[in-house]
Amino acid sequence: MPMEEVLMPKLGESVTEGTIENWLVQPGDTVGEYDPLCEVITDKVTAEVPSVFDGTIKELLVDEGDTVEVGTPICLMETEGAAEAGKEDESGAEPSQEAPPASEQVEETPSSGHTGTRDVPKNGKSRISPVVMRLADENDIDLNTIEGTGFEGRITKKDVLKTIEAGPQAAETQPKAAASPEQEATPAPAGQNIVAGDEIPVTGVRKAVASKMVQSSQEIPHAWLMMEVDATNLVNVRNRHKSSFKEREGFNLTFFSFFVKAVAETLKEYPMLNSSWQGDRIVINRDINISIAVAGDDKLYVPVIRNADDLSIKGIAKQVGELAALGRNHKLTQDHMAGGTFTVNNTGAFGSVQSMGIINHPQAAILQVESIVKKPVIIDDMIAVRHMVNLCLSIDHRILDGLVAGQFLKAVKERIEAYSVETTSVY
């Protein structure tokens, strides 16, 4: 039987490597084309690698937790159709190991290649690996009774083995626990079950975030400056529209949307802030794509609002809400993360009033929007109570100096202070 290598696919633009998070198959498993083989971490996103052949897994060449470059063989498969495929290759057709985009993988529900006869689970758990299907068949386990712990709730081999070890009674009791609406609607806060003395393995998204932060800290010489801004008019505009906007549009008009709008417009005037260091050159990005930080439990995602300068405040508010919801539910894909050119971080949501952000490599800068607080301010030699906010800008000092950074931040400040109930439209 002919042997074929399955290669680490390119799971997104500018992605050069990936980390095997979890193998979904083992040697001896029979898989079909598009059946998922493993879960891979790339740049803060978990994605599945589908098989590109029908065949049998012979050997796993990369261990879980190992990081390899795109194009590296990750497993060997014995295939029946390889001979025909080889003939096609000789005719000039170039084989592609590139996986479908993560967003497409989520929508796919491959049915070919499964050898088991058991019905696939309900509740969106229809993507089952061959080894899981086989184990369930051999042990007469209903997969609908198992809560998956894999990517997007996937049932993994470990989940099935755990159920087998626990015995039939455990399998019967699991649906009752899963059916509790309170548990589903109220996820446990991050760290709730952590106690002193615990040792937590660094894996998955946390490992990818750590790697990215180390790269940014080591490669980018950071400089930092802060400017205090009077956001009183912004608060008045937002409060004027807040209730009617929510009633009409169905989502919140957040303060953060006004800040993102001001930053996006100012980046058009100061394109050096919208650039990146690329070895021996500085690339000025054509589009203004704003990355925003979204936290989900103990994970951090940085999805992108594309062409933010073309959007109204309503359009930005809508995208912020949608991306935040996807992040909290761990449904963001590589496509959501790709292409960011400047990051705006809403640190004020946690009550912070001053912070220094680490730049999202390879971008040139990151802006932290701190908490809006009421403070006494002297205006025309009189004391007034105003809504004040600190904007904190971290810059790549290889690209930017204090002069242009200060000019940019001053321009953002002026835009925010120019918001008014009379002239500012949220549409």
Side-chain angles (χ1 to χ4, degrees):
M1 298 285 283
M3 300 290 288
E4 290 285 350
E5 291 180 335
V6 177
L7 310 181
M8 172 63 75
K10 187 177 178 65
L11 289 167
E13 185 180 0
S14 77
V15 174
T16 59
E17 63 183 20
T19 301
I20 301 292
E21 170 75 357
N22 183 32
W23 279 107
L24 303 173
V25 296
Q26 294 296 321
D29 289 342
T30 301
V31 299
E33 187 178 8
Y34 304 125
D35 279 348
L37 300 177
C38 60
E39 295 172 354
V40 173
I41 296 288
T42 63
D43 197 13
K44 305 180 185 178
V45 170
T46 301
E48 293 176 344
V49 174
S51 173
V52 291
F53 307 107
D54 295 325
T56 303
I57 304 295
K58 298 304 292 183
E59 184 179 0
L60 305 182
L61 303 176
V62 180
D63 294 331
E64 292 181 355
D66 287 353
T67 301
V68 295
E69 295 183 353
V70 171
T72 301
I74 58 175
C75 78
L76 288 175
M77 286 183 60
E78 191 176 68
T79 65
E80 295 181 357
E84 288 75 10
K87 294 177 181 177
E88 293 177 1
D89 294 345
E90 292 173 0
S91 67
E94 184 177 354
S96 173
Q97 291 284 349
E98 186 164 330
S103 57
E104 295 179 12
Q105 296 174 35
V106 173
E107 299 299 329
E108 291 175 359
T109 307
S111 57
S112 63
H114 292 306
T115 56
T117 57
R118 180 169 300 280
D119 291 339
V120 296
K122 301 173 183 177
N123 303 323
K125 300 174 183 174
S126 56
R127 293 176 60 78
I128 302 299
S129 71
V131 65
V132 167
M133 189 69 76
R134 178 170 54 80
L135 282 171
D137 281 334
E138 292 174 353
N139 294 276
D140 195 25
I141 293 176
D142 183 353
L143 292 174
N144 287 303
T145 66
I146 300 178
E147 279 297 292
T149 60
F151 178 53
E152 294 184 341
R154 167 187 291 283
I155 299 172
T156 66
K157 178 184 176 183
K158 294 178 182 177
D159 295 327
V160 179
L161 292 175
K162 185 177 178 181
T163 302
I164 294 171
E165 293 174 358
Q169 186 174 0
E172 292 173 0
T173 57
Q174 281 202 26
K176 297 177 182 178
S180 169
E182 291 186 1
Q183 291 180 1
E184 292 180 356
T186 310
Q192 185 183 52
N193 298 320
I194 298 174
V195 297
D198 281 355
E199 294 185 2
I200 304 170
V202 180
T203 59
V205 174
R206 176 52 50 193
K207 189 173 183 179
V209 170
S211 175
K212 195 77 170 181
M213 293 300 99
V214 169
Q215 181 187 23
S216 294
S217 298
Q218 291 181 341
E219 295 184 10
I220 299 177
H222 282 61
W224 177 79
L225 66 158
M226 184 183 79
M227 203 167 285
E228 190 176 46
V229 179
D230 187 341
T232 305
N233 291 339
L234 184 160
V235 172
N236 292 336
V237 173
R238 189 258 187 174
N239 289 344
R240 173 73 172 272
H241 298 285
K242 177 183 175 182
S243 300
S244 59
F245 184 90
K246 178 66 181 293
E247 183 177 348
R248 185 182 303 117
E249 306 298 338
F251 53 91
N252 292 324
L253 180 63
T254 59
F255 288 125
F256 188 58
S257 307
F258 290 85
F259 289 103
V260 172
K261 178 65 174 176
V263 169
E265 290 182 342
T266 309
L267 285 172
K268 296 172 74 172
E269 298 177 12
Y270 296 89
M272 285 300 289
L273 274 291
N274 195 49
S275 67
S276 62
W277 183 272
Q278 303 285 347
D280 59 351
R281 59 200 174 109
I282 297 171
V283 176
I284 310 297
N285 295 299
R286 294 180 181 276
D287 296 328
I288 296 176
N289 299 330
I290 303 295
S291 302
I292 61 173
V294 174
D297 297 334
D298 62 341
K299 297 179 173 61
L300 174 65
Y301 303 99
V302 191
V304 175
I305 301 173
R306 301 181 189 284
N307 300 307
D309 55 316
D310 293 337
L311 299 176
S312 63
I313 293 173
K314 172 202 164 185
I316 293 173
K318 184 177 182 179
Q319 289 210 24
V320 168
E322 291 175 347
L323 293 172
L326 290 172
R328 286 192 295 270
N329 292 293
H330 309 293
K331 292 183 178 178
L332 290 168
T333 68
Q334 182 67 37
D335 287 345
H336 291 114
M337 311 287 187
T341 60
F342 186 97
T343 297
V344 183
N345 190 9
N346 189 22
T347 43
F350 308 109
S352 168
V353 295
Q354 180 176 310
S355 63
M356 191 197 84
I358 297 178
I359 296 168
N360 186 11
H361 187 280
Q363 297 174 11
I366 179 174
L367 182 73
Q368 313 272 99
V369 178
E370 306 295 343
S371 180
I372 300 175
V373 296
K374 278 188 175 181
K375 293 176 63 176
V377 177
I378 297 176
I379 300 177
D380 296 333
D381 293 331
M382 294 183 290
I383 298 176
V385 176
R386 308 290 289 179
H387 295 271
M388 305 301 292
V389 59
N390 292 329
L391 300 183
C392 304
L393 180 68
S394 298
I395 59 170
D396 184 340
H397 218 331
R398 297 171 300 179
I399 302 174
L400 303 164
D401 296 321
L403 175 62
V404 66
Q407 290 173 337
F408 168 80
L409 200 52
K410 183 172 181 290
V412 173
K413 167 187 166 73
E414 291 172 349
R415 275 196 161 80
I416 292 170
E417 293 182 343
Y419 285 131
S420 73
V421 172
E422 293 78 18
T423 61
T424 301
S425 172
V426 298
Y427 293 98

